[in-house]
Amino acid sequence: MTPRFSLGIDLGTSNSAIALSRIESESTQIVEITQALGPNRVGEKPTLPSALYLPHPDEFPEGAFPLPWRAAWRGDPIMGHFARDHGALAPDRLITSAKSWLSNPHVDPKQRVLPWKSEIKEEKRSAFDCSRMCLEHVKESFLHAMRAGGEDLDLADAQIVLTVPASFDEVARSLTAEAAEAAGLGKVVLLEEPLAAFYAWTAQAGKDWRAQVRPGDIVLVCDIGGGTADFTLIAISEKEGVLDLDRISVGEHILLGGDNMDLALAYALRAGLEAEGKSISETQFLALIHAAGRAKEAMLEDESVSEFPIAVPSRGSSLFGGTVSTKLDRATLEQIALDGFFARTAIEDLPQQTRRAGLQEFGLPYASDPVISKHLARFLTRSLENVKSSAALSSLIGAEARSKPFLAPTAVLFNGGVFKAAPIRRRVLDLLSAWSDGAQVRELAGYQPDLAVAKGASIYGRNRVTGKGLRIKAGASRSYYIGLESSMPAVPGFKPPLKALCVVPQGMEEGSEVLIEGRDLALVTGQPAEFRFFSSEVRSGDAPGEIIPDAERELLEISLLEVDLAAVEDMPAGQPVPVQINAAVTELGTLELWMKHAKSDRRWKVEFQVRTE
Amino acid sequence: MRTLIVILAVLLLALASLALAPDTLPAPYAAQARALLPSAIAGLALLLFIALVAERPKIPAPAQAAPEPAQLPAIKPAEAKADAEVVNLLSIFQEKGRLVDFLMDDIAGYSDAQVGAAGRVLHEGCKAALLEHFGIAPIRSEGEGSKITVPPQHAADDYRLVGKISGEPPFTGTLIHHGWRAEWVKLPRLVTTHADRLPAIAPAEVEVR
């Protein structure tokens, strides 16, 4: 059955949103999300803060948080605006950034460990659960909004596109798809967020977008939200008079964003207050962070403002006696927001890698270097390495682009709240231009600060259904490898390097599969076998079946794979079975690995096991 | 109707603060002037509230109204709901802009600088709440002081004619105040209201250790 409408869901680290496109129309609309705004109070907002509050059983009376689609509230976790604002005052019970925990290699996303390091007595939640609940909320709210508008839509008639960061590896991607299925969304199509932003831009620019890019362009999609930075490069080429778009590189998962800037400003303001002998409480500090963020936005928007007054109210009811006032001046703002986070560094300046101490906490892997310029430099340097390793990608970018020490973008599409500020956009363009010896770098006009990702996803869904419109060639965002234990004579004090076999090449297209021949493995029936699983976003040249001599040095380990060859009648337990690896990228964008019996069509699915140490 | 009056009052107040202390202005204007504005607003608003509360038709108190409890005139659910919605709106302005704290605090004992700082909290929060929940637009787009013609068939509450009113419509005159209207209202819904009590404006906050 052909879908009648397309839904784009942006499951954000800090905010989620949903957009609807009808197949037979050009328009795309954001559907506001119904959520708790306080005890006994519900309302609609364009976004749902991805915050989950786990209330104490006796904190609120029964029925305090009704939702139109829920019969009665009995202490279930609360999601949305109220959860975020109230949770800030009771942080032990607040889960935020659950999405980033999905891609944390050290903590099992299905283990109930959130809120992290909290000592609450009630049951904790897993990152997977949080994503599922968030998606369920978005789904129910959407259906409710449609019913309220007199339309009873059936999700079976929908093409649903769910966005994920480009930096998500396959484990995080498949967990996201699984969470969507558990939330009752069925099989969803996955789309990388920067690509969704690009689709939204082309739809908004209309026919004009083709005039804004030209063959030979390399477009940097620079997406910096509240808590994460995500980079992607798209190469524009021309084949038979038609523009061709290829996503040629994706960045690493960087936990650094606008919230860090607000926090840094708030620390500076608090230091100023303390120097004047005024002290503020932890709660007032939260208000100070919000105020600093608003001051930053106002001052970056209007450059004639030289200072911005900030007032932080007391917690008690006396407003006149308890309000602390200060101001943010332009020098401090520029020193922190622009020169601190977007410093004019050189292309060789890469982020400092913290030395990993022997014992470390497995919290979220926040970026240890706050200078976004350096992360961008690292991304562009690694992008060149990636493109150079494959003849197909090299041919897309031309010899001149290959001669520099990094892959230089010629145009930038901004996305994410941080770039609401024109001075920050200008700084990034200046920086790129300086790295390219003054060559001009254009900004693609039509930046939409909010909700572009959800809109772009629903537009992409509609294009998939109609078969019309733009399609950026993307495929697998990175290559994947299985570790093979080397068979070498044991030598004391020497650990033989782990070899790895490439099973999925970067760019492998949706709806295709490979069978790796000539590398037969033997598995024993009746006992589960485990393999180490690796990925790389800089080895686009590796073909399936290729052997990497030293996996631990060259690749990034992301998970463990497990396959269980149950004993069957004609293959009793303990019998070795020759198998070949069969990898497929589904139409929906998820990766499937199978062990295929070399002599029959029988095959066994390989499951991801999150590595916990 | 009463609902409307109170909504209008709250609106007026937040508007007055909006009009008097536009935060688009750079900071360094005289601290004196800056500080005086909120006090003026506060006075005005207090008056408004007092007037409104005074005007409130009294719901017959049980003890006075009827000796027999069985025959008490029950509060109609619709009326209780309307009152609850007004308190709900008030609680939004309190939560975002500390409106009730501002008005209930004793202003006399504080310096203009302190009142000014509190005025910023009020202005920023109430303005955000106002713009979130009401589509605010001027009734006339012309600049104040310009000559305009009053449309003959206007709604009674859209125009107030002052001065020397004579002759035939349409009337022309100088625009003194461009007026404000709410083009839409989008308020959070109050879900459960108990017929016997109004919701709290602000909860008592207790830090548990």
Side-chain angles (χ1 to χ4, degrees):
Chain A
M1 132 134 241
T2 321
R4 286 169 41 230
F5 59 100
S6 158
L7 290 182
I9 302 177
D10 173 7
L11 175 64
T13 314
S14 26
N15 287 292
S16 298
I18 182 166
L20 165 73
S21 295
R22 297 181 196 273
I23 302 300
E24 300 308 330
S25 96
E26 285 289 292
S27 70
T28 293
Q29 92 195 74
I30 291 290
V31 181
E32 297 202 326
I33 300 175
T34 305
Q35 53 196 286
L37 302 178
N40 293 330
R41 207 195 284 165
V42 278
E44 281 75 35
K45 303 255 183 193
T47 59
L48 176 76
S50 314
L52 203 66
Y53 182 78
L54 310 180
H56 185 279
D58 297 316
E59 188 176 353
F60 299 104
E62 195 175 316
F65 296 93
L67 287 170
W69 56 86
R70 187 164 64 192
W73 180 81
R74 284 200 187 80
D76 317 68
I78 304 161
M79 187 156 320
H81 265 84
F82 175 74
R84 183 192 60 192
D85 295 350
H86 178 64
L89 305 174
D92 254 17
R93 305 185 163 271
L94 179 69
I95 305 175
T96 52
S97 305
K99 178 166 125 174
S100 290
W101 286 92
L102 286 184
S103 66
N104 187 333
H106 305 294
V107 177
D108 181 349
K110 288 193 176 170
Q111 230 181 336
R112 294 170 166 266
V113 294
L114 302 179
W116 186 246
K117 286 171 80 178
S118 143
E119 286 166 8
I120 55 170
K121 299 274 185 300
E122 294 78 45
E123 196 167 26
K124 293 187 169 189
R125 299 282 168 167
S126 71
F128 175 84
D129 264 350
C130 296
S131 296
R132 175 185 58 77
M133 281 188 274
C134 184
L135 288 167
E136 215 163 56
H137 187 119
V138 171
K139 177 196 83 169
E140 293 295 347
S141 162
F142 168 77
L143 290 175
H144 171 75
M146 291 294 117
R147 277 195 299 272
E151 239 186 318
D152 208 355
L153 293 180
D154 186 351
L155 288 181
D157 293 335
Q159 167 77 269
I160 302 177
V161 179
L162 184 58
T163 60
V164 287
S167 54
F168 259 20
D169 63 36
E170 192 48 42
V171 179
R173 285 170 66 98
S174 69
L175 280 168
T176 309
E178 196 185 327
E181 203 170 347
L185 291 170
K187 301 270 184 200
V188 298
V189 172
L190 297 180
L191 176 67
E192 291 161 26
E193 283 159 14
L195 298 187
F198 195 89
Y199 285 115
W201 172 72
T202 56
Q204 196 222 18
K207 292 199 167 48
D208 201 36
W209 79 266
R210 281 166 218 275
Q212 287 202 50
V213 291
R214 44 184 175 262
D217 264 342
I218 293 167
V219 178
L220 166 69
V221 184
C222 194
D223 183 355
I224 305 183
T228 53
D230 206 3
F231 305 122
T232 281
L233 285 178
I234 298 173
I236 317 270
S237 56
E238 190 173 21
K239 270 191 205 100
E240 293 146 16
V242 180
L243 284 185
D244 237 11
L245 287 83
D246 289 84
R247 192 263 285 110
I248 54 173
S249 173
V250 299
E252 297 154 290
H253 201 66
I254 306 167
L255 289 175
L256 181 60
D259 296 348
N260 302 58
M261 300 166 79
D262 298 351
L263 194 60
L265 288 170
Y267 279 128
L269 290 170
R270 183 166 71 178
L273 283 171
E274 280 166 357
E276 291 171 32
K278 301 178 198 162
S279 73
I280 59 171
S281 69
E282 275 308 301
T283 332
Q284 282 181 305
F285 185 65
L286 289 176
L288 184 62
I289 298 172
H290 286 287
R294 284 191 298 270
K296 173 194 78 181
E297 273 180 31
M299 288 177 81
L300 289 174
E301 199 161 292
D302 182 352
E303 287 165 69
S304 65
V305 180
S306 62
E307 57 181 21
F308 196 92
I310 285 174
V312 178
S314 68
R315 293 175 73 186
S317 69
S318 171
L319 206 54
F320 299 132
T323 300
V324 176
S325 62
T326 178
K327 54 196 172 226
L328 178 63
D329 61 81
R330 186 157 284 279
T332 310
L333 173 73
E334 293 193 345
Q335 187 201 335
I336 292 173
L338 280 172
D339 299 334
F341 286 88
F342 293 92
R344 295 178 193 275
T345 53
I347 185 71
E348 299 82 25
D349 281 345
L350 301 184
Q352 283 173 12
Q353 304 284 359
T354 36
R355 234 171 346 127
R356 295 284 172 207
L359 270 177
Q360 75 179 53
E361 285 185 309
F362 294 129
L364 280 181
Y366 292 108
S368 52
D369 195 324
V371 185
I372 294 175
S373 322
K374 295 183 187 174
H375 289 279
L376 187 56
R378 174 174 160 92
F379 166 67
L380 295 174
T381 310
R382 286 167 65 89
S383 295
L384 184 74
E385 187 189 333
N386 181 49
V387 167
K388 271 185 164 175
S389 71
S390 135
L393 290 188
S394 294
S395 70
L396 284 172
I397 65 157
E400 203 207 316
R402 288 197 302 271
S403 65
K404 297 194 178 110
F406 70 104
L407 192 47
T410 55
V412 184
L413 177 67
F414 290 107
N415 193 49
V418 164
F419 294 113
K420 275 185 192 164
I424 295 185
R425 301 208 294 274
R426 223 164 37 231
R427 172 59 65 90
V428 171
L429 294 172
D430 283 355
L431 200 60
L432 291 170
S433 168
W435 290 344
S436 298
D437 305 320
Q440 211 213 339
V441 180
R442 308 181 322 267
E443 176 186 348
L444 297 185
Y447 160 70
Q448 329 171 60
D450 298 311
L451 309 165
V453 168
K455 285 184 204 162
S458 85
I459 290 161
Y460 169 78
R462 180 171 60 208
N463 290 358
R464 269 180 77 100
V465 174
T466 58
K468 288 182 216 147
L470 169 78
R471 232 7 222 282
I472 303 165
K473 279 202 242 101
S477 59
R478 55 204 75 210
S479 42
Y480 293 96
Y481 308 82
I482 280 182
L484 301 173
E485 303 295 338
S486 308
S487 41
M488 278 175 126
V491 178
F494 172 78
K495 201 166 141 259
L498 182 78
K499 288 193 289 182
L501 173 70
C502 177
V503 290
V504 172
Q506 187 185 324
M508 180 166 159
E509 284 182 32
E510 286 92 358
S512 67
E513 59 177 287
V514 289
L515 182 65
I516 293 150
E517 290 174 273
R519 297 273 172 205
D520 286 8
L521 308 167
L523 292 181
V524 180
T525 51
Q527 50 178 284
E530 281 187 343
F531 301 90
R532 290 167 72 182
F533 193 49
F534 299 84
S535 81
S536 168
E537 70 267 0
V538 292
R539 299 182 62 96
S540 61
D542 291 344
E546 210 160 304
I547 296 280
I548 313 302
D550 190 347
E552 278 158 326
R553 208 177 56 206
E554 303 285 333
L555 308 171
L556 183 70
E557 182 158 17
I558 55 173
S559 141
L560 263 187
L561 297 177
E562 196 180 75
V563 61
D564 190 359
L565 269 62
V568 284
E569 227 171 79
D570 54 332
M571 292 178 198
Q575 186 184 328
V577 177
V579 292
Q580 293 172 328
I581 296 167
N582 181 196
V585 178
T586 66
E587 283 293 347
L588 305 173
T590 48
L591 175 67
E592 283 178 1
L593 285 176
W594 303 83
M595 293 289 174
K596 183 186 164 297
H597 189 206
K599 297 185 183 91
S600 76
D601 280 341
R602 186 174 294 163
R603 58 181 192 170
W604 296 268
K605 187 147 190 232
V606 182
E607 306 286 352
F608 298 114
Q609 291 287 308
V610 172
R611 190 162 57 112
T612 41
E613 39 207 84
Chain B
M1 210 54 222
R2 197 162 5 117
T3 314
L4 263 178
I5 296 171
V6 180
I7 290 178
L8 269 173
V10 174
L11 256 177
L12 242 168
L13 171 76
L15 276 176
S17 78
L18 184 148
L20 289 171
D23 66 1
T24 47
L25 284 179
Y29 48 71
Q32 287 285 332
R34 185 176 69 197
L36 279 174
L37 296 178
S39 346
I41 305 160
L44 169 75
L46 256 178
L47 279 175
L48 258 166
F49 261 86
I50 291 166
L52 279 162
V53 170
E55 207 197 73
R56 251 175 87 98
K58 296 274 184 302
I59 295 164
Q64 302 169 335
E68 291 167 330
Q71 287 175 354
L72 284 181
I75 301 169
K76 287 184 198 136
E79 202 172 297
K81 177 98 181 155
D83 283 354
E85 295 286 355
V86 174
V87 176
N88 183 33
L89 180 66
L90 202 53
S91 78
I92 291 172
F93 282 100
Q94 160 66 14
E95 189 186 326
K96 297 270 174 65
R98 309 285 295 267
L99 176 66
V100 179
D101 287 343
F102 187 92
L103 298 176
M104 297 306 292
D105 206 353
D106 176 18
I107 199 166
Y110 297 100
S111 71
D112 287 354
Q114 283 170 302
V115 177
R120 290 198 179 279
V121 173
L122 174 87
H123 178 263
E124 186 178 24
C126 287
K127 181 179 179 179
L130 183 71
L131 295 182
E132 185 178 345
H133 300 294
F134 300 89
I136 302 287
I139 290 174
R140 294 296 298 223
S141 53
E142 295 91 342
E144 288 172 2
S146 58
K147 279 249 180 278
I148 65 156
T149 303
V150 178
Q153 300 292 324
H154 63 80
D157 54 355
D158 271 356
Y159 289 88
R160 179 166 62 203
L161 305 180
V162 294
K164 215 173 99 187
I165 307 155
S166 62
E168 297 290 307
F171 299 108
T172 57
T174 311
L175 183 66
I176 305 294
H177 189 299
H178 59 50
W180 292 111
R181 73 161 79 251
E183 297 189 328
W184 46 261
V185 178
K186 189 180 135 193
L187 289 177
R189 297 180 296 286
L190 205 56
V191 195
T192 39
T193 47
H194 302 283
D196 55 344
R197 69 178 282 274
L198 290 169
I201 297 170
E205 197 172 309
V206 183
E207 186 162 344
V208 183
R209 290 198 184 273

